[in-house]
Amino acid sequence: DVKVTQSSRYLVKRTGEKVFLECVQDMDHENMFWYRQDPGLGLRLIYFSYDVKMKEKGDIPEGYSVSREKKERFSLILESASTNQTSMYLCASSLWGLAGGPRETQYFGPGTRLLVL
Amino acid sequence: GEDVEQSLFLSVREGDSSVINCTYTDSSSTYLYWYKQEPGAGLQLLTYIFSNMDMKQDQRLTVLLNKKDKHLSLRIADTQTGDSAIYFCAEVLFTGGGNKLTFGTGTQLKVEL
């Protein structure tokens, strides 16, 4: 079974702090993704990576950065946390492909609920 | 529009059928997915449909696709309390680096006794 783990389930930080959210997958997937989930807005893609040291901006990259130094690990960084970054953060991974079929479906971690005070 | 749209809430009685609707954006999407998110958990792939199909049935689940209207639906027969969750539709969009999913807003299904 594919396993995607996230370093924390719950996190409380103060405004202005630098925050690191870590994600690790054990299936040798090329693609990794970071989303935030907010009520009524669904999942919005922040950044994704389709190879080590590669990254692409998603739909809402402002205020975030990412790091992919190893294939299995994808980190999301909030350089200076703000209250509007309070959210549920979900990491996902998938095989690389262009067909978009179920073999390339995304596998999700359990999420990190971040509260910025 | 730009967004994949779903109604936010649906409430049904146990044993009834549930129908969750989705309007997607890209008529060239090859696959459309339904994901389920149980409380406190990440998303899990529930089912999918290939774009050259109109319907797909998988046990209690039936997926209907209307490409002309870009409308997707998920029907759950004999809905159980364990089906209470948030359901997301998603379409595949291709980028230079592979494919990525665009998710709908999610529909919270509540099953009442």
Side-chain angles (χ1 to χ4, degrees):
Chain A
D1 273 356
V2 176
K3 196 162 182 188
V4 180
T5 56
Q6 296 184 229
S7 50
S8 306
R9 293 299 302 269
Y10 300 95
L11 212 50
V12 181
K13 295 290 180 183
R14 295 206 174 273
T15 301
E17 279 193 76
K18 191 168 185 175
V19 182
F20 292 87
L21 302 182
E22 304 285 343
C23 175
V24 177
Q25 50 93 5
D26 66 358
M27 282 301 290
D28 204 34
H29 284 170
E30 293 85 4
N31 293 346
M32 295 188 77
F33 305 83
W34 274 108
Y35 297 89
R36 64 178 281 176
Q37 181 181 6
D38 300 288
L41 298 177
L43 271 69
R44 293 180 291 167
L45 183 63
I46 304 171
Y47 268 97
F48 65 104
S49 166
Y50 51 88
D51 201 354
V52 175
K53 298 193 187 294
M54 302 294 285
K55 61 184 178 185
E56 294 271 346
K57 290 181 180 179
D59 301 317
I60 51 162
E62 296 79 18
Y64 303 94
S65 61
V66 290
S67 172
R68 185 125 181 244
E69 296 296 318
K70 293 185 178 181
K71 192 175 185 181
E72 68 271 17
R73 188 180 296 270
F74 193 34
S75 303
L76 179 69
I77 303 153
L78 286 66
E79 296 289 343
S80 176
S82 63
T83 54
N84 63 12
Q85 291 179 309
T86 290
S87 187
M88 168 75 95
Y89 290 88
L90 291 166
C91 174
S93 72
S94 71
L95 286 170
W96 188 92
L98 294 175
R103 183 176 170 273
E104 297 154 25
T105 188
Q106 293 183 18
Y107 293 85
F108 283 81
T112 296
R113 193 169 288 281
L114 172 67
L115 173 62
V116 182
L117 300 174
Chain B
E2 292 290 326
D3 297 331
V4 179
E5 296 179 348
Q6 300 177 238
S7 52
L8 291 181
F9 298 103
L10 177 65
S11 180
V12 300
R13 289 193 183 276
E14 190 177 38
D16 287 351
S17 292
S18 310
V19 179
I20 302 171
N21 294 303
C22 170
T23 303
Y24 61 98
T25 63
D26 190 341
S27 57
S28 65
S29 291
T30 54
Y31 281 90
L32 294 134
Y33 295 85
W34 283 102
Y35 280 81
K36 178 182 180 182
Q37 184 183 34
E38 294 182 350
L43 279 68
Q44 284 189 299
L45 181 65
L46 191 62
T47 187
Y48 64 93
I49 188 166
F50 187 51
S51 59
N52 69 352
M53 299 168 68
D54 298 323
M55 185 182 83
K56 178 182 177 183
Q57 187 143 5
D58 183 1
Q59 299 182 328
R60 292 191 296 121
L61 306 177
T62 303
V63 180
L64 295 177
L65 177 61
N66 179 333
K67 284 190 72 175
K68 175 175 167 288
D69 295 335
K70 290 188 275 189
H71 185 263
L72 182 72
S73 69
L74 173 69
R75 179 176 181 268
I76 306 172
D78 187 26
T79 312
Q80 303 297 308
T81 54
D83 295 324
S84 291
I86 303 176
Y87 292 81
F88 293 91
C89 63
E91 59 176 343
V92 176
L93 295 174
F94 294 103
T95 73
N99 66 71
K100 63 179 182 135
L101 298 178
T102 295
F103 288 86
T105 49
T107 298
Q108 177 137 20
L109 174 64
K110 182 179 177 184
V111 182
E112 297 174 327
L113 295 171

Short mmCIF file of all heavy atoms in Angstrom, two decimals, chain A residues 9 35 37 40 42-43 45 48 50 59 90 96-102 104-106 108-110, chain B residues 8 30-31 33 35 37 40-43 45 48 88 92 94-95 97-101 103-105:
data_model
loop_
_atom_site.label_atom_id
_atom_site.label_comp_id
_atom_site.label_asym_id
_atom_site.label_seq_id
_atom_site.Cartn_x
_atom_site.Cartn_y
_atom_site.Cartn_z
N ARG A 9 -0.01 16.28 12.69
CA ARG A 9 -1.46 16.35 12.43
C ARG A 9 -2.01 17.72 12.79
O ARG A 9 -2.93 18.21 12.13
CB ARG A 9 -2.19 15.27 13.24
CG ARG A 9 -1.88 13.85 12.82
CD ARG A 9 -2.26 13.57 11.37
NE ARG A 9 -3.66 13.82 11.09
CZ ARG A 9 -4.62 12.90 11.19
NH1 ARG A 9 -4.34 11.69 11.60
NH2 ARG A 9 -5.85 13.20 10.86
N TYR A 35 -1.53 20.90 -1.22
CA TYR A 35 -2.80 21.59 -1.33
C TYR A 35 -3.14 22.22 0.02
O TYR A 35 -2.71 21.76 1.07
CB TYR A 35 -3.94 20.60 -1.63
CG TYR A 35 -3.85 19.86 -2.94
CD1 TYR A 35 -3.16 18.64 -3.03
CD2 TYR A 35 -4.48 20.35 -4.08
CE1 TYR A 35 -3.11 17.94 -4.22
CE2 TYR A 35 -4.43 19.65 -5.27
CZ TYR A 35 -3.75 18.45 -5.33
OH TYR A 35 -3.70 17.76 -6.52
N GLN A 37 -6.84 23.06 2.06
CA GLN A 37 -8.27 22.76 2.01
C GLN A 37 -9.00 23.69 2.96
O GLN A 37 -8.71 23.73 4.16
CB GLN A 37 -8.54 21.31 2.42
CG GLN A 37 -10.00 20.93 2.37
CD GLN A 37 -10.26 19.50 2.80
OE1 GLN A 37 -9.36 18.79 3.24
NE2 GLN A 37 -11.49 19.05 2.66
N GLY A 40 -15.81 25.19 1.73
CA GLY A 40 -16.45 25.91 0.64
C GLY A 40 -15.55 26.23 -0.53
O GLY A 40 -16.02 26.68 -1.57
N GLY A 42 -12.88 23.88 -1.36
CA GLY A 42 -12.30 22.63 -1.83
C GLY A 42 -10.80 22.59 -1.64
O GLY A 42 -10.25 23.22 -0.72
N LEU A 43 -10.12 21.88 -2.51
CA LEU A 43 -8.67 21.79 -2.47
C LEU A 43 -8.09 22.75 -3.50
O LEU A 43 -8.50 22.75 -4.65
CB LEU A 43 -8.20 20.36 -2.82
CG LEU A 43 -8.08 19.38 -1.69
CD1 LEU A 43 -9.44 19.02 -1.14
CD2 LEU A 43 -7.36 18.13 -2.17
N LEU A 45 -4.42 23.95 -5.20
CA LEU A 45 -3.03 23.53 -5.36
C LEU A 45 -2.08 24.68 -5.09
O LEU A 45 -2.19 25.75 -5.70
CB LEU A 45 -2.83 22.99 -6.78
CG LEU A 45 -1.46 22.44 -7.12
CD1 LEU A 45 -1.14 21.22 -6.27
CD2 LEU A 45 -1.42 22.07 -8.61
N PHE A 48 3.56 22.04 -6.86
CA PHE A 48 3.80 20.63 -7.11
C PHE A 48 5.20 20.44 -7.69
O PHE A 48 5.84 21.40 -8.12
CB PHE A 48 2.72 20.01 -8.00
CG PHE A 48 2.64 20.55 -9.39
CD1 PHE A 48 3.14 19.82 -10.46
CD2 PHE A 48 2.02 21.76 -9.66
CE1 PHE A 48 3.04 20.30 -11.77
CE2 PHE A 48 1.91 22.24 -10.96
CZ PHE A 48 2.42 21.51 -12.00
N TYR A 50 7.51 17.49 -10.04
CA TYR A 50 7.48 16.23 -10.79
C TYR A 50 8.85 15.59 -10.87
O TYR A 50 9.05 14.63 -11.61
CB TYR A 50 6.87 16.41 -12.18
CG TYR A 50 7.45 17.53 -12.99
CD1 TYR A 50 8.56 17.32 -13.79
CD2 TYR A 50 6.87 18.79 -12.97
CE1 TYR A 50 9.09 18.35 -14.55
CE2 TYR A 50 7.41 19.83 -13.73
CZ TYR A 50 8.51 19.60 -14.51
OH TYR A 50 9.03 20.62 -15.26
N ASP A 59 -2.03 27.01 -8.08
CA ASP A 59 -2.98 28.10 -8.23
C ASP A 59 -2.81 29.21 -7.20
O ASP A 59 -3.18 30.35 -7.45
CB ASP A 59 -4.41 27.55 -8.15
CG ASP A 59 -4.65 26.51 -9.24
OD1 ASP A 59 -4.23 26.74 -10.38
OD2 ASP A 59 -5.26 25.46 -8.93
N LEU A 90 -2.78 19.48 2.83
CA LEU A 90 -2.74 18.10 2.39
C LEU A 90 -1.61 17.90 1.39
O LEU A 90 -1.45 18.69 0.45
CB LEU A 90 -4.07 17.71 1.71
CG LEU A 90 -5.28 17.62 2.63
CD1 LEU A 90 -6.55 17.58 1.81
CD2 LEU A 90 -5.19 16.40 3.51
N TRP A 96 4.38 9.65 -12.28
CA TRP A 96 4.39 10.60 -13.39
C TRP A 96 3.70 9.98 -14.58
O TRP A 96 3.86 8.80 -14.88
CB TRP A 96 5.83 10.95 -13.76
CG TRP A 96 5.92 12.06 -14.76
CD1 TRP A 96 6.04 13.38 -14.50
CD2 TRP A 96 5.91 11.93 -16.19
NE1 TRP A 96 6.10 14.10 -15.67
CE2 TRP A 96 6.01 13.24 -16.72
CE3 TRP A 96 5.82 10.86 -17.07
CZ2 TRP A 96 6.04 13.49 -18.08
CZ3 TRP A 96 5.83 11.11 -18.43
CH2 TRP A 96 5.94 12.42 -18.92
N GLY A 97 2.93 10.76 -15.29
CA GLY A 97 2.33 10.24 -16.51
C GLY A 97 1.54 11.31 -17.22
O GLY A 97 1.27 12.37 -16.66
N LEU A 98 1.18 11.01 -18.46
CA LEU A 98 0.42 11.96 -19.26
C LEU A 98 -0.96 11.45 -19.61
O LEU A 98 -1.73 12.13 -20.25
CB LEU A 98 1.19 12.28 -20.55
CG LEU A 98 2.51 13.03 -20.35
CD1 LEU A 98 3.23 13.17 -21.69
CD2 LEU A 98 2.27 14.40 -19.75
N ALA A 99 -1.26 10.22 -19.18
CA ALA A 99 -2.55 9.65 -19.55
C ALA A 99 -3.65 10.09 -18.60
O ALA A 99 -4.81 10.16 -18.98
CB ALA A 99 -2.46 8.13 -19.58
N GLY A 100 -3.26 10.39 -17.36
CA GLY A 100 -4.26 10.82 -16.39
C GLY A 100 -5.14 9.72 -15.88
O GLY A 100 -6.16 9.97 -15.26
N GLY A 101 -4.77 8.49 -16.10
CA GLY A 101 -5.63 7.38 -15.70
C GLY A 101 -5.51 7.03 -14.24
O GLY A 101 -4.74 7.64 -13.50
N PRO A 102 -6.24 6.02 -13.81
CA PRO A 102 -6.24 5.64 -12.38
C PRO A 102 -4.88 5.19 -11.88
O PRO A 102 -4.60 5.30 -10.69
CB PRO A 102 -7.27 4.51 -12.33
CG PRO A 102 -7.44 4.05 -13.73
CD PRO A 102 -7.16 5.22 -14.60
N GLU A 104 -2.28 6.70 -12.34
CA GLU A 104 -1.60 7.94 -11.97
C GLU A 104 -2.39 8.73 -10.93
O GLU A 104 -2.15 9.92 -10.75
CB GLU A 104 -1.36 8.78 -13.21
CG GLU A 104 -0.43 8.10 -14.21
CD GLU A 104 -0.67 8.56 -15.64
OE1 GLU A 104 -1.18 9.68 -15.82
OE2 GLU A 104 -0.37 7.79 -16.57
N THR A 105 -3.30 8.07 -10.27
CA THR A 105 -4.10 8.78 -9.27
C THR A 105 -3.22 9.28 -8.12
O THR A 105 -2.14 8.76 -7.88
CB THR A 105 -5.20 7.88 -8.70
OG1 THR A 105 -6.06 8.67 -7.88
CG2 THR A 105 -4.63 6.75 -7.85
N GLN A 106 -3.70 10.29 -7.45
CA GLN A 106 -2.94 10.86 -6.35
C GLN A 106 -3.31 10.15 -5.04
O GLN A 106 -4.47 9.86 -4.78
CB GLN A 106 -3.22 12.36 -6.24
CG GLN A 106 -2.66 13.11 -7.43
CD GLN A 106 -2.84 14.60 -7.34
OE1 GLN A 106 -3.09 15.16 -6.27
NE2 GLN A 106 -2.72 15.28 -8.47
N PHE A 108 -3.07 10.54 -0.93
CA PHE A 108 -3.02 11.66 0.00
C PHE A 108 -2.54 11.25 1.39
O PHE A 108 -2.83 10.15 1.86
CB PHE A 108 -4.41 12.29 0.14
CG PHE A 108 -4.78 13.16 -1.02
CD1 PHE A 108 -5.27 12.62 -2.19
CD2 PHE A 108 -4.63 14.54 -0.93
CE1 PHE A 108 -5.61 13.43 -3.27
CE2 PHE A 108 -4.97 15.36 -2.01
CZ PHE A 108 -5.45 14.80 -3.17
N GLY A 109 -1.85 12.17 2.03
CA GLY A 109 -1.56 12.05 3.44
C GLY A 109 -2.76 12.44 4.28
O GLY A 109 -3.77 12.91 3.74
N PRO A 110 -2.69 12.29 5.61
CA PRO A 110 -3.84 12.56 6.47
C PRO A 110 -4.09 14.05 6.71
O PRO A 110 -5.14 14.41 7.23
CB PRO A 110 -3.45 11.87 7.79
CG PRO A 110 -1.96 11.87 7.77
CD PRO A 110 -1.54 11.73 6.35
N LEU B 8 -22.63 22.22 -1.82
CA LEU B 8 -21.83 22.05 -0.61
C LEU B 8 -22.35 20.96 0.32
O LEU B 8 -21.57 20.31 1.01
CB LEU B 8 -21.73 23.37 0.15
CG LEU B 8 -20.91 24.47 -0.51
CD1 LEU B 8 -20.89 25.72 0.37
CD2 LEU B 8 -19.49 24.01 -0.79
N THR B 30 -9.48 13.73 -19.91
CA THR B 30 -9.59 12.33 -20.31
C THR B 30 -10.21 11.47 -19.22
O THR B 30 -10.90 10.51 -19.49
CB THR B 30 -8.21 11.75 -20.65
OG1 THR B 30 -7.34 11.99 -19.53
CG2 THR B 30 -7.65 12.39 -21.90
N TYR B 31 -9.93 11.82 -17.98
CA TYR B 31 -10.47 11.07 -16.85
C TYR B 31 -11.12 12.05 -15.88
O TYR B 31 -10.64 13.18 -15.70
CB TYR B 31 -9.37 10.31 -16.10
CG TYR B 31 -8.94 9.03 -16.78
CD1 TYR B 31 -7.91 9.04 -17.70
CD2 TYR B 31 -9.57 7.83 -16.49
CE1 TYR B 31 -7.51 7.87 -18.33
CE2 TYR B 31 -9.17 6.65 -17.11
CZ TYR B 31 -8.14 6.68 -18.02
OH TYR B 31 -7.74 5.52 -18.63
N TYR B 33 -12.59 11.95 -11.81
CA TYR B 33 -12.47 11.15 -10.61
C TYR B 33 -13.48 11.58 -9.55
O TYR B 33 -13.90 12.74 -9.52
CB TYR B 33 -11.08 11.36 -9.98
CG TYR B 33 -9.91 10.89 -10.79
CD1 TYR B 33 -9.34 11.71 -11.76
CD2 TYR B 33 -9.32 9.67 -10.55
CE1 TYR B 33 -8.24 11.31 -12.49
CE2 TYR B 33 -8.22 9.25 -11.27
CZ TYR B 33 -7.68 10.07 -12.22
OH TYR B 33 -6.58 9.66 -12.93
N TYR B 35 -13.34 11.40 -5.35
CA TYR B 35 -12.58 11.10 -4.14
C TYR B 35 -13.51 11.24 -2.94
O TYR B 35 -14.45 12.03 -2.94
CB TYR B 35 -11.42 12.09 -3.95
CG TYR B 35 -10.20 11.79 -4.77
CD1 TYR B 35 -10.12 12.16 -6.11
CD2 TYR B 35 -9.10 11.17 -4.19
CE1 TYR B 35 -8.97 11.91 -6.85
CE2 TYR B 35 -7.94 10.92 -4.93
CZ TYR B 35 -7.90 11.28 -6.25
OH TYR B 35 -6.76 11.03 -6.99
N GLN B 37 -13.46 11.81 1.32
CA GLN B 37 -12.67 12.22 2.49
C GLN B 37 -13.49 11.97 3.75
O GLN B 37 -14.48 12.67 3.99
CB GLN B 37 -12.26 13.68 2.40
CG GLN B 37 -11.35 14.11 3.55
CD GLN B 37 -11.00 15.58 3.49
OE1 GLN B 37 -11.81 16.41 3.08
NE2 GLN B 37 -9.79 15.94 3.92
N GLY B 40 -11.30 13.69 9.46
CA GLY B 40 -9.95 13.60 10.00
C GLY B 40 -8.96 12.87 9.12
O GLY B 40 -7.84 12.58 9.56
N ALA B 41 -9.32 12.60 7.87
CA ALA B 41 -8.44 11.82 6.99
C ALA B 41 -8.17 12.56 5.70
O ALA B 41 -8.84 13.55 5.37
CB ALA B 41 -9.08 10.47 6.69
N GLY B 42 -7.19 12.05 4.94
CA GLY B 42 -6.94 12.59 3.61
C GLY B 42 -7.95 12.03 2.62
O GLY B 42 -8.90 11.34 3.00
N LEU B 43 -7.76 12.35 1.35
CA LEU B 43 -8.69 11.90 0.31
C LEU B 43 -8.29 10.52 -0.19
O LEU B 43 -7.11 10.20 -0.30
CB LEU B 43 -8.68 12.87 -0.87
CG LEU B 43 -9.50 14.14 -0.75
CD1 LEU B 43 -8.94 15.10 0.28
CD2 LEU B 43 -9.59 14.82 -2.11
N LEU B 45 -9.20 7.78 -3.47
CA LEU B 45 -9.90 7.60 -4.73
C LEU B 45 -11.04 6.62 -4.54
O LEU B 45 -10.86 5.50 -4.06
CB LEU B 45 -8.94 7.08 -5.80
CG LEU B 45 -9.56 6.86 -7.18
CD1 LEU B 45 -10.01 8.19 -7.78
CD2 LEU B 45 -8.58 6.17 -8.12
N TYR B 48 -13.69 6.32 -10.81
CA TYR B 48 -13.30 7.21 -11.89
C TYR B 48 -14.06 6.81 -13.14
O TYR B 48 -14.65 5.73 -13.21
CB TYR B 48 -11.79 7.12 -12.15
CG TYR B 48 -11.37 5.75 -12.63
CD1 TYR B 48 -11.28 5.46 -13.99
CD2 TYR B 48 -11.07 4.74 -11.71
CE1 TYR B 48 -10.92 4.20 -14.42
CE2 TYR B 48 -10.72 3.48 -12.14
CZ TYR B 48 -10.63 3.22 -13.49
OH TYR B 48 -10.28 1.96 -13.92
N PHE B 88 -15.38 14.70 -3.37
CA PHE B 88 -14.80 15.65 -4.31
C PHE B 88 -14.77 15.05 -5.71
O PHE B 88 -14.32 13.92 -5.88
CB PHE B 88 -13.35 15.98 -3.94
CG PHE B 88 -13.19 16.75 -2.66
CD1 PHE B 88 -13.01 16.09 -1.46
CD2 PHE B 88 -13.20 18.14 -2.67
CE1 PHE B 88 -12.83 16.81 -0.28
CE2 PHE B 88 -13.03 18.86 -1.51
CZ PHE B 88 -12.86 18.19 -0.31
N VAL B 92 -8.69 15.94 -14.77
CA VAL B 92 -7.27 15.91 -15.07
C VAL B 92 -6.94 17.04 -16.03
O VAL B 92 -7.60 17.22 -17.05
CB VAL B 92 -6.88 14.58 -15.74
CG1 VAL B 92 -5.42 14.59 -16.13
CG2 VAL B 92 -7.18 13.42 -14.81
N PHE B 94 -3.51 18.76 -18.05
CA PHE B 94 -2.13 18.42 -18.39
C PHE B 94 -1.24 19.66 -18.36
O PHE B 94 -1.61 20.72 -18.83
CB PHE B 94 -2.08 17.78 -19.77
CG PHE B 94 -2.76 16.45 -19.79
CD1 PHE B 94 -4.01 16.32 -20.35
CD2 PHE B 94 -2.16 15.35 -19.22
CE1 PHE B 94 -4.65 15.10 -20.35
CE2 PHE B 94 -2.80 14.13 -19.22
CZ PHE B 94 -4.05 14.00 -19.78
N THR B 95 -0.06 19.47 -17.78
CA THR B 95 0.94 20.53 -17.76
C THR B 95 2.19 20.00 -18.44
O THR B 95 2.25 18.82 -18.81
CB THR B 95 1.30 20.92 -16.32
OG1 THR B 95 2.09 19.88 -15.75
CG2 THR B 95 0.06 21.13 -15.49
N GLY B 97 4.80 19.24 -17.11
CA GLY B 97 5.46 18.27 -16.25
C GLY B 97 4.65 17.03 -15.95
O GLY B 97 4.96 16.29 -15.04
N GLY B 98 3.59 16.83 -16.69
CA GLY B 98 2.74 15.68 -16.39
C GLY B 98 1.30 16.13 -16.23
O GLY B 98 0.88 17.11 -16.81
N ASN B 99 0.56 15.39 -15.46
CA ASN B 99 -0.83 15.81 -15.28
C ASN B 99 -1.09 16.20 -13.84
O ASN B 99 -0.40 15.77 -12.93
CB ASN B 99 -1.79 14.71 -15.73
CG ASN B 99 -1.69 13.47 -14.85
OD1 ASN B 99 -2.12 13.50 -13.71
ND2 ASN B 99 -1.12 12.41 -15.37
N LYS B 100 -2.05 17.04 -13.64
CA LYS B 100 -2.48 17.42 -12.29
C LYS B 100 -3.99 17.44 -12.25
O LYS B 100 -4.66 17.48 -13.27
CB LYS B 100 -1.89 18.77 -11.88
CG LYS B 100 -2.34 19.95 -12.72
CD LYS B 100 -1.71 21.24 -12.20
CE LYS B 100 -2.23 22.40 -13.03
NZ LYS B 100 -2.63 23.54 -12.22
N LEU B 101 -4.50 17.39 -11.05
CA LEU B 101 -5.94 17.35 -10.84
C LEU B 101 -6.45 18.71 -10.39
O LEU B 101 -5.80 19.38 -9.59
CB LEU B 101 -6.30 16.32 -9.77
CG LEU B 101 -5.94 14.86 -10.06
CD1 LEU B 101 -6.32 13.98 -8.88
CD2 LEU B 101 -6.64 14.39 -11.32
N PHE B 103 -9.69 20.05 -8.38
CA PHE B 103 -10.76 19.51 -7.54
C PHE B 103 -11.94 20.46 -7.46
O PHE B 103 -11.80 21.68 -7.53
CB PHE B 103 -10.24 19.26 -6.12
CG PHE B 103 -9.31 18.09 -6.02
CD1 PHE B 103 -7.96 18.24 -6.27
CD2 PHE B 103 -9.80 16.84 -5.69
CE1 PHE B 103 -7.11 17.15 -6.18
CE2 PHE B 103 -8.95 15.75 -5.60
CZ PHE B 103 -7.60 15.90 -5.85
N GLY B 104 -13.10 19.88 -7.28
CA GLY B 104 -14.28 20.66 -6.98
C GLY B 104 -14.26 21.11 -5.53
O GLY B 104 -13.36 20.80 -4.76
N THR B 105 -15.30 21.84 -5.16
CA THR B 105 -15.37 22.42 -3.82
C THR B 105 -15.71 21.39 -2.76
O THR B 105 -15.56 21.65 -1.58
CB THR B 105 -16.42 23.54 -3.80
OG1 THR B 105 -17.62 23.04 -4.41
CG2 THR B 105 -15.95 24.74 -4.59
#
